[in-house]
Amino acid sequence: MPRMGCALYAFKHAGDKEYFKKAVQTDSLILKCNSLGPDNPDKNIYYIELCERNNGFFAVYHKLLKHLYFADRFGLIPVVRFTKDYLYAESHEVNETDNPFEYYYLQPGSISVEEALRSRNVFKAEYIHTRIEDLTSRQSGDYEISEEYIELLGRISAKYIHLNKKTKDEIEQDISNIRINDRTIGIHYRGTDYKRGFSRHPVFTGIDEYIEVASDLLETGEYDRIFLATDDAEAVRRIENRFPGRVITYKDVYRTDGDVSVAFSKDERPDHHYRLGYEVLRDMLTLSRCNALIAGASQVSLAVRITKSSCGEKYKDEKIIFHGVNKRGADDREYYRSYGVGK
């Protein structure tokens, strides 16, 4: 099955010459040791560099967790670097770093990128490592995710994913300000580009179905408020109109009424790309504090469920709205190239 996954990925990236340079190695258990300097001769370092321009915040996060699982599985010390191609990277330092991963997080192994690149035993992360069989065997599919897989990555998240102090303090203050409690339903609604029905993406689900599920939960008497996380301005208007006085949102989130993902948006506000990352990260963590979850199949909702599991918790009520994957549709890469973004 790992080889089949690699074959499908290769077909998807048939025109990517750089990918094929990396894809000649198809055994997920083979590692190549690089000697980059004299430091840390007694440590085995796993250097994870992620730079895929087409991927949103939690698509990259998901890939990172799989690489961290690999490092954990083989007793390697992970070091993470996101490049300038990362969608949320700025052209200048943010939070005193030029590594976009460190805009938000601490290094998982307490070794800096600079130190790793001076070290004797450095193993570089490859895509094939995310296809290790004892990980993929727990994953039901790209969007139908098993509880075993969520629990496994939840343990990895708890061990390795830690916010830096600035990000943690800001997010905790923001969550405190909106007063999430155990009577709160969290809704994540993915609008914008999902409306276009891209091939290999989940079938788009309209707002009405989310409203129906939320109404049913509110009628149980177990809940009295909704926290709404969305990139779609229309969804905010519709859900606030349906449940007046009961909907909480962050007011500073960048949203649109269009069909282009906000991740690819351009705006004149300071640190726009960094702020987009902060906003979706904050939304995800806030959703994980709610007692019920209504969401579609997306990388955000997967990250929410993994984070909830990392805390040793489960939702009292959880509804993932999934109507399958579009077998035919537009190519999202071609679509975003027409906007001058992506690769």
Side-chain angles (χ1 to χ4, degrees):
M1 289 306 294
R3 294 180 187 276
M4 177 63 74
C6 290
L8 292 172
Y9 194 87
F11 179 79
K12 177 181 175 183
H13 293 76
D16 188 342
K17 294 180 181 179
E18 289 301 314
Y19 166 74
F20 275 98
K21 289 180 183 178
K22 298 177 181 179
V24 292
Q25 193 258 91
T26 59
D27 189 335
S28 61
L29 299 180
I30 292 178
L31 282 166
K32 179 182 178 182
C33 184
N34 301 272
S35 183
L36 305 180
D39 290 3
N40 299 309
D42 58 339
K43 297 177 180 178
N44 293 320
I45 295 170
Y46 188 62
Y47 185 70
I48 306 168
E49 184 173 275
L50 296 176
C51 57
E52 293 189 30
R53 179 72 177 162
N54 282 3
N55 288 334
F57 193 96
F58 284 110
V60 176
Y61 172 86
H62 187 192
K63 291 182 181 182
L64 173 60
L65 287 181
K66 290 191 282 188
H67 281 300
L68 291 173
Y69 172 81
F70 185 91
D72 190 75
R73 172 75 170 75
F74 294 104
L76 307 174
I77 301 172
V79 176
V80 183
R81 170 78 182 177
F82 291 171
T83 75
K84 289 298 184 181
D85 280 333
Y86 183 57
L87 277 176
Y88 307 89
E90 297 288 352
S91 59
H92 53 271
E93 287 191 355
V94 175
N95 295 340
E96 301 181 346
T97 180
D98 64 356
N99 178 357
F101 173 76
E102 295 175 2
Y103 291 176
Y104 312 100
Y105 299 106
L106 299 172
Q107 280 294 339
S110 299
I111 292 178
S112 70
V113 168
E114 293 74 20
E115 185 181 353
L117 296 179
R118 299 192 305 265
S119 295
R120 181 176 296 178
N121 307 310
V122 180
F123 302 87
K124 293 187 177 181
E126 300 285 351
Y127 164 75
I128 191 62
H129 300 157
T130 69
R131 305 303 301 169
I132 184 172
E133 187 171 3
D134 54 352
L135 179 62
T136 58
S137 64
R138 292 171 167 85
Q139 183 178 4
S140 301
D142 287 338
Y143 292 100
E144 293 179 277
I145 306 296
S146 71
E147 287 300 320
E148 186 181 14
Y149 184 77
I150 289 171
E151 290 173 4
L152 181 65
L153 290 188
R155 292 195 293 273
I156 294 300
S157 176
K159 184 173 181 178
Y160 293 106
I161 299 295
H162 305 289
L163 299 176
N164 62 43
K165 185 178 187 305
K166 182 176 185 297
T167 304
K168 182 178 180 180
D169 288 349
E170 288 182 4
I171 288 179
E172 289 297 334
Q173 184 60 59
D174 287 347
I175 293 175
S176 176
N177 288 343
I178 64 172
R179 297 191 295 179
I180 296 296
N181 60 34
D182 61 5
R183 294 181 61 82
T184 306
I185 300 168
I187 297 179
H188 177 253
Y189 178 79
R190 176 70 184 276
T192 61
D193 58 340
Y194 260 39
K195 300 171 186 176
R196 298 190 62 85
F198 288 130
S199 177
R200 306 179 308 277
H201 285 62
V203 173
F204 174 67
T205 303
I207 299 169
D208 289 341
E209 188 166 350
Y210 288 78
I211 288 175
E212 181 181 350
V213 176
S215 295
D216 290 343
L217 283 180
L218 288 170
E219 287 176 3
T220 67
E222 297 289 332
Y223 308 98
D224 55 24
R225 63 177 63 186
I226 294 169
F227 167 70
L228 174 60
T230 183
D231 55 359
D232 194 277
E234 180 189 5
V236 175
R237 293 191 293 271
R238 290 278 307 278
I239 294 176
E240 284 183 338
N241 287 340
R242 177 60 180 82
F243 305 108
R246 306 181 83 172
V247 180
I248 307 163
T249 61
Y250 288 116
K251 304 304 182 185
D252 59 348
V253 171
Y254 186 89
R255 301 184 177 96
T256 74
D257 282 309
D259 57 6
V260 177
S261 169
V262 296
F264 294 101
S265 65
K266 298 178 181 179
D267 194 85
E268 295 302 317
R269 66 172 176 163
D271 294 335
H272 175 62
H273 302 291
Y274 160 72
R275 291 299 306 174
L276 290 174
Y278 176 86
E279 287 159 12
V280 72
L281 174 60
R282 179 182 61 183
D283 273 349
M284 186 279 289
L285 291 171
T286 308
L287 287 165
S288 75
R289 306 287 182 89
C290 299
N291 209 20
L293 176 68
I294 304 169
S298 71
Q299 294 292 345
V300 175
S301 64
L302 175 58
V304 170
R305 296 157 73 195
I306 289 170
T307 300
K308 192 77 166 177
S309 179
S310 75
C311 299
E313 299 175 359
K314 290 183 179 295
Y315 285 105
K316 183 175 181 179
D317 293 285
E318 179 181 295
K319 172 63 175 178
I320 302 300
I321 300 171
F322 181 58
H323 299 301
V325 173
N326 297 310
K327 295 182 179 179
R328 296 181 181 179
D331 187 314
D332 58 328
R333 293 165 297 171
E334 292 297 328
Y335 176 71
Y336 282 112
R337 284 192 194 104
S338 72
Y339 279 86
V341 294
K343 288 185 177 179

